[in-house]
Amino acid sequence: MQRLYDFLRRHPTGVDVFWAVVLLGLSGMSMASGMYDAGREELLAIPVALGLSTVVALRRRVPEKMLLLAIAVGVLQLVGDVRPGIADFAMLVITFTVATIGERWASRLALICSLSAAGLSQLRWDPEPGASWPQLIFVTVIMTVPFVLAWVMGDSLRTRRAYFSQLEERAARLEREREAQSKVAVAAERARIARELHDVVAHNVSVMVVQADGAAYVMDAAPDQARQALETISSTGRQALAEMRRLLGVLRTGDTPESGEYVPQPDVEQIEDLVEQVRRTGLAVDFKVEGTARPLPSGVELTAYRIVQEALTNTRKHGGPDAGASVRLVYFDDGLGLLVEDDGRGAAHELYEDGGADGAGHGMIGMRERVGMVGGTLDAGPRPGGGFRISALLPLKPAD
């Protein structure tokens, strides 16, 4: 049964042609039974039946044209005095079809014709002898109701189809938006992890390289300093491994750390520890906090820590020998100010302007992205008189 139903849905014109043949056969049987008077009426009944059967056969392919054909056949019946018969059932069919899938003008025209067809029929052909006006009006209304019902049903079906089409379009649009949001979220998460990895690797590895070079230089002359440098390398490596495990744990969704605890993100209070660690590598750093310290949003604290970390890492990499740096944290009423300066020779211009043609300078790009995420501002560039300056203002309220 389902196969038959699917076949009928795939071949709507074939179904319409079948019913058109049935309607034409019934009309032929009516004419053969002597329904029409011999003469012109019987002669005109043949093209009327053929025309209305054609209306049924092609109603879904060209509904507007079939409506006009049905109207023309109706006018021919009125002019040629061909009384309504079985073939006129096509009028109901085309009214329903046009109201369902036809153009709006055709639907309105079908409604007008439906309201006037019964009245014109009563005026054209003599009513039954002895019928009163109330009876004639009642008969006219009864004959009009099927046409009006056919039009209402077709228009309701049109509205329902339009509603479901709108729902499908909305569902498809929401699905596309959901996919786009997922891609944006994935890209943002990848960028965040890339920034974290860059900060961890660039800072800790540079500390280890500096300490290893220093240990190799004083290995014979000052064994105690070499031993201290090796201890710094060891502790720095452990810290780097711990942060790497934390970042990799974020990627393993559904897994919990073996210890059952999560390592907190770095905050402003740990900046002093960071400065001490940098000092042990041989870089002189002046650290000062101005204003009244108070709790900050976690995003602001992590951003401040990473900016100082990246700035000091750049000083060690590009500042040259005997370079010094200063770190200032200033608490304002509505934000946190950061100022990191050094008196070294600084990095090449290409390394901090738009990431450089060779892809270097990702640290500066990461800093700008972090500051932008919390709604702050960042200014970085060479300092007058030599050295490099990074200044940032981070608002206390999270960005929209």
Side-chain angles (χ1 to χ4, degrees):
M1 192 66 183
Q2 183 63 32
R3 292 182 179 179
L4 177 61
Y5 179 72
D6 293 338
F7 176 81
L8 295 179
R9 291 192 61 183
R10 290 194 303 268
H11 303 85
T13 303
V15 176
D16 293 339
V17 169
F18 171 78
W19 288 115
V21 172
V22 173
L23 184 63
L24 183 61
L26 294 176
S27 300
M29 294 173 59
S30 299
M31 287 185 288
S33 64
M35 177 179 179
Y36 299 103
D37 297 334
R40 190 181 66 171
E41 182 180 358
E42 185 177 16
L43 184 62
L44 291 178
I46 296 176
V48 168
L50 289 174
L52 293 177
S53 298
T54 304
V55 169
V56 174
L58 302 178
R59 65 185 184 92
R60 277 187 275 199
R61 294 182 65 92
V62 282
E64 294 83 6
K65 293 181 179 179
M66 291 301 101
L67 174 64
L68 296 178
L69 177 59
I71 294 174
V73 172
V75 173
L76 177 62
Q77 286 186 269
L78 292 174
V79 174
D81 194 19
V82 181
R83 291 179 176 272
I86 297 177
D88 288 282
F89 181 78
M91 302 287 188
L92 285 173
V93 176
I94 193 59
T95 299
F96 171 81
T97 303
V98 171
T100 304
I101 61 175
E103 298 290 340
R104 279 298 181 183
W105 66 266
S107 176
R108 297 188 183 96
L109 180 59
L111 178 60
I112 295 172
C113 293
S114 299
L115 295 174
S116 58
L120 292 175
S121 176
Q122 290 293 318
L123 292 175
R124 179 65 179 84
W125 291 282
D126 296 332
E128 295 182 3
S132 62
W133 283 106
Q135 290 176 338
L136 293 177
I137 295 175
F138 177 76
V139 171
T140 302
V141 172
I142 293 299
M143 293 177 62
T144 304
V145 167
F147 288 93
V148 175
L149 289 178
W151 186 91
V152 171
M153 291 175 60
D155 191 70
S156 300
L157 185 58
R158 175 202 292 268
T159 304
R160 185 178 180 182
R161 288 179 177 177
Y163 174 72
F164 281 114
S165 177
Q166 185 179 9
L167 289 181
E168 292 177 356
E169 181 182 357
R170 178 183 296 180
R173 184 174 66 253
L174 291 177
E175 184 67 23
R176 292 193 297 268
E177 292 177 355
R178 188 180 300 110
E179 292 178 359
Q181 291 174 357
S182 299
K183 291 181 181 179
V184 171
V186 170
E189 186 65 13
R190 290 178 60 183
R192 186 188 69 83
I193 295 175
R195 287 193 299 268
E196 291 291 328
L197 287 174
H198 174 274
D199 293 339
V200 171
V201 173
H203 172 74
N204 291 291
V205 172
S206 63
V207 171
M208 296 169 66
V209 170
V210 170
Q211 292 296 317
D213 292 341
Y217 182 77
V218 300
M219 180 67 71
D220 297 329
D224 292 339
Q225 294 183 10
R227 185 181 300 107
Q228 183 179 1
L230 293 175
E231 291 176 355
T232 302
I233 293 174
S234 177
S235 63
T236 303
R238 291 190 181 92
Q239 180 181 356
L241 287 175
E243 294 195 28
M244 291 289 290
R245 290 193 186 98
R246 175 179 60 80
L247 291 176
L248 294 177
V250 174
L251 300 178
R252 298 190 183 98
T253 57
D255 297 340
T256 56
E258 296 179 359
S259 61
E261 298 179 357
Y262 292 93
V263 178
Q265 294 275 26
D267 53 21
V268 174
E269 295 181 357
Q270 297 183 30
I271 293 180
E272 188 173 359
D273 298 334
L274 175 65
V275 171
E276 288 296 330
Q277 181 186 29
V278 174
R279 286 171 178 168
R280 289 195 296 269
T281 66
L283 177 64
V285 182
D286 180 28
F287 179 65
K288 183 180 293 185
V289 179
E290 301 178 4
T292 303
R294 57 187 180 277
L296 302 173
S298 59
V300 172
E301 296 209 7
L302 177 61
T303 300
Y305 181 90
R306 293 304 187 194
I307 289 176
V308 175
Q309 184 184 53
E310 178 65 22
L312 295 179
T313 299
N314 290 338
T315 299
R316 284 199 309 269
K317 293 169 60 177
H318 309 293
D322 301 327
S326 64
V327 179
R328 296 287 184 273
L329 267 68
V330 183
Y331 286 90
F332 298 105
D333 293 337
D334 57 350
L336 175 66
L338 290 174
L339 179 63
V340 183
E341 297 180 306
D342 65 64
D343 54 6
R345 58 174 177 258
H349 179 76
E350 291 80 5
L351 291 180
Y352 59 84
E353 184 68 22
D354 297 332
D358 59 352
H362 291 296
M364 295 301 303
I365 295 176
M367 278 196 286
R368 294 187 187 279
E369 291 177 350
R370 289 182 182 278
V371 172
M373 290 176 63
V374 298
T377 57
L378 177 72
D379 183 27
R383 193 178 64 164
F388 203 80
R389 172 191 290 128
I390 296 177
S391 62
L393 179 60
L394 309 178
L396 297 185
K397 294 182 180 181
D400 293 337

